[in-house]
């Protein structure tokens, strides 16, 4: 049996994000026009240990929503809609910092990941499968 009042209590228990302080000059560096759909890749990393959690896409509106809310927002290329990480799964991302690369066409979003993880499969990271391994380059 579902209690509508209990659902409201649970929803209100979800902490809000904190708006980020924005460097307007750097915000203008992000070049959404390079992509025909106005999207740039957003590499999402754990702010504590640097683990790459996922790669998603942002347009200017998704970035604006992210900066204003302190929660990660993306644009779904398949569904053609905005989505906030965790609204379905409960596995939310609270944004600490957003960085832009030297060309202005990619973002790194540093987050505190809450819940099971970033992947829709329930894994901590979307990059949980290894295609190949090797020794790397020997030390000099």
């Amino acid at each position: 049996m579902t209690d509508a009042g209990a659902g409201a209590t649970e929803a209100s228990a979800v902490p809000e994000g904190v708006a980020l302080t924005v460097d307007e000059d750097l915000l203008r560096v992000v070049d959404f026009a390079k992509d025909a759909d106005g999207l740039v890749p957003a590499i999402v990393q754990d702010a504590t240990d640097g683990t790459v959690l996922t790669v998603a896409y942002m347009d200017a509106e998704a970035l604006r929503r992210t900066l204003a809310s302190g929660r990660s927002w993306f644009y779904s290329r398949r569904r053609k809609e905005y989505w906030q990480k965790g609204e379905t799964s409960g596995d939310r991302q609270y944004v600490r910092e957003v960085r832009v690369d030297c060309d202005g066409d990619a973002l790194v979003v540093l987050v505190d990941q809450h819940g099971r993880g970033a992947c829709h499969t329930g894994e901590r990271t979307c990059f949980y499968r290894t295609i190949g391994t090797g020794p790397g380059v020997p030390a000099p």
Side-chain angles (χ1 to χ4, degrees):
M1 185 168 136
T2 304
D3 181 346
T9 303
E10 286 177 23
S12 63
V14 173
E16 294 296 320
V18 177
L20 281 70
T21 302
V22 177
D23 180 328
E24 295 292 336
D25 291 332
L26 275 180
L27 184 58
R28 285 188 283 277
V29 168
V30 183
D31 190 356
F32 296 104
K34 280 187 181 178
D35 177 77
D37 296 320
L39 300 171
V40 297
I43 299 95
V44 181
Q45 286 185 277
D46 184 293
T48 304
D49 66 15
T51 299
V52 175
L53 299 172
T54 194
V55 174
Y57 292 86
M58 289 184 173
D59 65 1
E61 176 63 17
L63 179 56
R64 185 200 65 74
R65 291 180 185 195
T66 297
L67 296 170
S69 70
R71 297 266 312 278
S72 56
W73 280 88
F74 305 106
Y75 186 78
S76 171
R77 297 179 299 168
R78 182 176 53 83
R79 295 187 316 266
K80 307 286 187 224
E81 66 184 17
Y82 295 99
W83 59 280
Q84 186 179 45
K85 176 62 184 150
E87 289 311 294
T88 302
S89 66
D91 301 328
R92 293 173 174 84
Q93 294 172 344
Y94 295 90
V95 180
R96 283 200 199 174
E97 189 172 289
V98 178
R99 298 177 182 174
V100 62
D101 78 332
C102 57
D103 292 327
D105 58 6
L107 303 170
V108 171
V109 182
L110 300 172
V111 302
D112 291 321
Q113 178 69 52
H114 289 234
R116 296 177 306 164
C119 188
H120 74 281
T121 65
E123 296 288 334
R124 175 172 183 251
T125 171
C126 292
F127 299 96
Y128 62 92
R129 301 177 291 178
T130 302
I131 292 175
T133 58
V137 177

